[in-house]
Amino acid sequence: MSHILQSFARDAWVTPEQGLVDIPSAIDGRVVARASSAGLDFAALVRHAREVGGANLRAMNFHQRADMLKALSAYLSERKEQLYALAADTGATRRDNAIDIDGGLVTLAAFASRGRRELPDTNFVTEGEVEALSKRGSFVGQHILTPLHGVAVHINAFNFPCWGLLEKLAPALLAGVPVIAKPATATAYVAEALVKLIEESKLLPPGALQLVCGRLCDLFDYLGGQDVIAFTGSLETSEKLRSHPNVARHSIRFIAERDSLNAAVLGSDITPADPEFDLFVREIVREMTAKAGQKCTAIRRVLVPRAQESAVIDALKGRLGEVRLGDPRHDDKAMGPLVSRGQREAVRAAIATLQREADIVFGNPMTCAGEGIDAEAGAYISPVLLRAREPMQAREVHATEAFGPVATVLAYDDVDQAIELVRRGEGSLVASLFTYDDAVAEQMILGLAPYHGRLLIVDRDDAAESTGHGTPLPALLHGGPGRAGGGEELGGLRSVYHYMQRTAIQASPCRLAKLTGAWTRGAPAAATAVHPFKLNYNELEIGQSIETASRPITLDDIEHFAHFTGDTFYAHMDEAAAKANPFFPGRVAHGYLILAFAAGLFVDPAPGPLLANYGLDNLRFLKPVSPDDTIKVKLTVKQKSAARRPEYGEVRWDVEVVNQNNEPVARYDLLTMSARPA
Ligand code: NAP
């Protein structure tokens, strides 16, 4: 009896009884699982996510949600072998599983640590600086981001059942938005096992995650303007889903990651004698064979200078001939089968389309041999390399995605032509460029960047540490314009903000300071009787302020500082040269001298709760300080935030240094650590 996949709906596992679809093994075609979503009440799923999941997640702050993701990543990492064992039937080798399973866990952990490091311990984010909107400063603006009150519907492609689910889940949960995940049916048994582990962990609050194995039926009918759809899959499905009337009517955010005819370009400066030549050949073969070419980022178009075309083809043929194709359960195999025989038929059909304008130079899509391969029952296919007969006339190679181990070589005559050919893909997730020439690199980067979400430039200097063409990274954008779907995933906090609403708040500085917990210039500042450095983190209040005594800066001070530090720059030492400079009235004090004197004015020297100064932010010198000017400092508690360890807190101070006319000469944020008694 094959396994009947359950959906996780309203915090309970539901077993379908009708409409079951068989899911075959990629290895031998036996039925590994059966799926259906018949009987699910989709309106109730959406309601549960919004009312239970959303409320629970928003009751936590960013740091608590980040800690939840970190714990989840650790929990799953200890149990990942269960997923490895299941995923072999999808055709994935151990290397492929590392990309999918470990890649997903690393992404989860990366979002956890970003959430801790880069987001506050609140439930909203301030974005950018306070904008001055009025002459007297009593009316200002500030952008904030708050979690949407809807549900994130995540629809994934078959090729990454774990990574696809986790790379979407992490930013949504970190933002505070619950998820309904719908894996592709062909590999849903791996996604189901992953969600079972997540549920067993009891680390997520009720309603935070639901899983639909099978079709989404009428779910889109229940979505509205607070919801987000994130889709990964083919261009055709994305078009269909995006044109659902509810998506347009309610302006539902629709993030699409879809197929992409990614290119790799060998620079016109490279010959077989250069290290970049071999790096290029290796990367093409790796991208053709990892996940048997079933990667949205895989290289489909191989652009080479005409003079190197036959050398490249010969080198690729040599390496492709060495690829060990076979049963993915055997660790020595580099490439397993496609996900299903149906997918193999689709790839064969796409190759036939490409053959209208390209010749096969390696492989035969109709036959396949290798140790332990059942070519009839399994979904095996040999890698296939094609060569475009007339690259400038070719059309299909820029429009037909053979979602398998297939790539086409196109020869180009000059850099402009290479750029023109790559652009015919009408927008891709990634392109890579192998060159060691500055001019070629600059021309290609600027020519290709508007058409891509990511560009990888490989050369002898970075190859050893390069993460490769096909690997999306949590810190960097994954997505591309045009044909690639126009979506943006990952890219650090950018993907978290997809699940949040940006709002411009216009108010008085005082109102804004109360909301954001960050003092802003123009908001009231309360002078303290006690020096604020004597107050611990808990005692410090936003807006507490001191104004120091004044001190003059003499020419002797400037000369002493110059000789003591070695900074004898002419603006401090030579009256005539300084005067000739458009910025200075004559000799002026060093900026660093102003900072040092400012610290001398505001520090409280005795040991106390202030533990360390760990930096300055946003430093600006606003006006020159001439000999015999006097300066004083206004120091105000600007913001407090929890530190990594509970014994300390981070305090951000607004520092304004003014001259004898009360004109600001320097402004900056001072960052300190203050003791935080339990
Ligand atoms: P697909 O056939 O378009 O399916 C994608 C997802 O959409 C699956 O979960 C599928 O569910 C679902 N779906 C299909 N029709 C639907 C409908 N009417 N309503 C709601 N959901 C629906 O793509 P695939 O074959 O799984 O994946 C291969 C494609 O994905 C390739 O073109 C590849 O380039 C692309 N891809 C892109 C990225 C990227 O990040 N850009 C990543 C991976 C893959 P069922 O499985 O149940 O039909």
Side-chain angles (χ1 to χ4, degrees), residues 279 456 458-468 473:
L279 293 168
L456 167 73
V458 183
D459 60 30
R460 63 200 76 175
D461 297 336
D462 67 5
E465 290 194 299
S466 162
T467 48
L473 299 170

Side-chain angles (χ1 to χ4, degrees), residues 117-168:
R117 268 187 292 121
E118 297 174 25
L119 290 171
D121 60 347
T122 59
N123 212 357
F124 70 96
V125 184
T126 57
E127 187 187 51
E129 293 299 310
V130 173
E131 299 285 342
L133 300 174
S134 62
K135 272 203 178 121
R136 284 185 290 113
S138 66
F139 185 59
V140 294
Q142 167 83 66
H143 289 95
I144 66 165
L145 292 141
T146 49
L148 288 168
H149 282 210
V151 55
V153 177
H154 291 167
I155 303 171
N156 283 308
F158 71 78
N159 52 347
F160 289 115
C162 292
W163 177 83
L165 194 141
L166 294 173
E167 63 96 18
K168 286 185 169 59

Side-chain angles (χ1 to χ4, degrees), residues 158-234:
F158 71 78
N159 52 347
F160 289 115
C162 292
W163 177 83
L165 194 141
L166 294 173
E167 63 96 18
K168 286 185 169 59
L169 183 70
L173 293 186
L174 187 54
V177 174
V179 170
I180 297 176
K182 185 245 175 295
T185 302
T187 54
Y189 48 95
V190 184
E192 187 221 36
L194 171 65
V195 174
K196 287 211 157 148
L197 288 175
I198 295 175
E199 198 265 321
E200 269 166 35
S201 78
K202 301 289 177 217
L203 287 164
L204 303 190
L209 174 61
Q210 299 179 79
L211 174 78
V212 175
C213 291
R215 311 303 291 180
L216 282 184
C217 305
D218 59 354
L219 182 136
F220 275 31
D221 293 343
Y222 307 108
L223 299 183
Q226 288 289 305
D227 302 317
V228 181
I229 300 165
F231 168 83
T232 298
S234 63

Side-chain angles (χ1 to χ4, degrees), residues 577-606:
K579 259 203 171 100
N581 179 308
F583 294 104
F584 303 124
R587 292 175 72 176
V588 292
H590 305 66
Y592 299 116
L593 173 59
I594 297 170
L595 292 185
F597 277 180
L601 287 167
F602 66 64
V603 291
D604 181 69

Side-chain angles (χ1 to χ4, degrees), residues 156 182 185 215 232-234 237 257-259 296 401 478:
N156 283 308
K182 185 245 175 295
T185 302
R215 311 303 291 180
T232 298
S234 63
T237 311
E257 300 292 348
R258 53 191 203 191
D259 64 16
C296 53
E401 185 198 39
H478 172 62

Side-chain angles (χ1 to χ4, degrees), residues 84 271 660:
Y84 266 75
T271 71
Q660 61 281 4

Side-chain angles (χ1 to χ4, degrees), residues 133 137-142 505-512:
L133 300 174
S138 66
F139 185 59
V140 294
Q142 167 83 66
I505 306 289
Q506 293 174 280
S508 70
C510 180
R511 169 67 52 232
L512 206 59

